[in-house]
Amino acid sequence: MGDFGDNFDIDPAAEFLAREQDELAGLDDEVKNVITVVPPHIEPAVNGFMETISPSPPRHEKKEEPEKIKKWREEQKTRLEEKDREEEIKKEELRQIAAKELQDWYKHHEEQIAKTKAANRESAKNAEKQFVAEDNEIEPGTEWERIAKLCDFNPKASKGNKDVSRMRSIILQLKQSPPPVTNKA
């Protein structure tokens, strides 16, 4: 049995574990300082009951801001307040200008409407006087000529109007050759 050696007392696995523990000995202190966080949706079973474990809130130490940053924040706050005041003043000025312009526009619009109404009334009076004057001159057989005078025979049709070309052609035809007048009396 001398071929195998006499060192049966040394366990290679125990030797390996001892060596690894020596290398990892410093990590134990670091592992104790690390907080293990379990997400709240994981519910480990404890005594047959499911419990939600929520992590403790992280510790935030409030750092003291440097004096320059505090001063800058105060200056920035006062600048913003001043700009807000200026903006409100400008808004109010613009509102007043807009109200005045709107009032002027309404005044101008009312004047234009009054002028248009007056012109339409005058035109209607003149047209009525002319119609009454011509009413006395009615001669039999001239009815279609009078109707043709009242119609607008401009062939230009705008897109919004209906097509009246057929009516126009019938009136012109009747004007040129009126139907015979029969007396039923």
Side-chain angles (χ1 to χ4, degrees):
M1 297 240 159
D3 293 346
F4 293 108
D6 294 336
N7 293 334
F8 286 112
D9 296 343
I10 300 173
D11 184 15
E15 184 181 329
F16 173 76
L17 288 175
R19 199 173 50 233
E20 290 297 315
Q21 284 178 351
D22 288 341
E23 289 179 13
L24 298 176
L27 292 177
D28 280 343
D29 296 336
E30 293 177 17
V31 171
K32 289 178 184 176
N33 292 334
V34 173
I35 298 173
T36 304
V37 177
V38 177
H41 64 276
I42 297 175
E43 300 174 350
V46 177
N47 296 333
F49 296 104
M50 300 300 278
E51 294 181 11
T52 303
I53 299 174
S54 60
S56 61
R59 296 180 186 172
H60 292 290
E61 294 181 18
K62 192 170 186 178
K63 295 181 180 179
E64 191 67 30
E65 289 184 339
E67 189 63 32
K68 287 185 177 183
I69 293 177
K70 285 182 182 178
K71 185 178 178 183
W72 177 84
R73 285 187 194 279
E74 291 172 7
E75 290 174 359
Q76 184 69 9
K77 185 177 179 182
T78 56
R79 272 184 278 178
L80 291 175
E81 289 172 354
E82 181 64 29
K83 284 186 177 185
D84 287 344
R85 282 192 294 271
E86 290 174 6
E87 182 181 5
E88 287 300 318
I89 291 170
K90 288 180 181 179
K91 277 185 183 179
E92 189 59 36
E93 289 173 359
L94 288 175
R95 284 187 186 117
Q96 291 173 355
I97 291 170
K100 185 180 182 314
E101 287 179 359
L102 187 62
Q103 186 179 18
D104 292 343
W105 182 85
Y106 277 124
K107 183 180 176 184
H108 178 71
H109 184 65
E110 291 295 324
E111 290 173 358
Q112 291 290 64
I113 289 175
K115 287 178 184 177
T116 304
K117 285 180 180 179
N120 287 344
R121 284 189 194 114
E122 189 64 33
S123 175
K125 284 180 185 178
N126 291 338
E128 185 180 355
K129 286 178 184 177
Q130 184 181 2
F131 181 75
V132 170
E134 291 176 1
D135 191 33
N136 296 333
E137 302 171 4
I138 295 179
E139 296 176 16
T142 60
E143 296 88 7
W144 290 108
E145 286 182 32
R146 292 182 63 218
I147 291 172
K149 285 181 184 176
L150 295 174
C151 294
D152 181 22
F153 289 109
N154 189 2
K156 296 179 183 175
S158 64
K159 292 181 181 180
N161 294 341
K162 293 182 179 179
D163 183 23
V164 291
S165 60
R166 194 165 157 217
M167 181 188 75
R168 188 180 318 130
S169 65
I170 291 172
I171 291 174
L172 287 174
Q173 219 174 20
L174 290 170
K175 178 184 169 189
Q176 292 172 355
S177 57
V181 179
T182 58
N183 288 340
K184 293 184 180 182

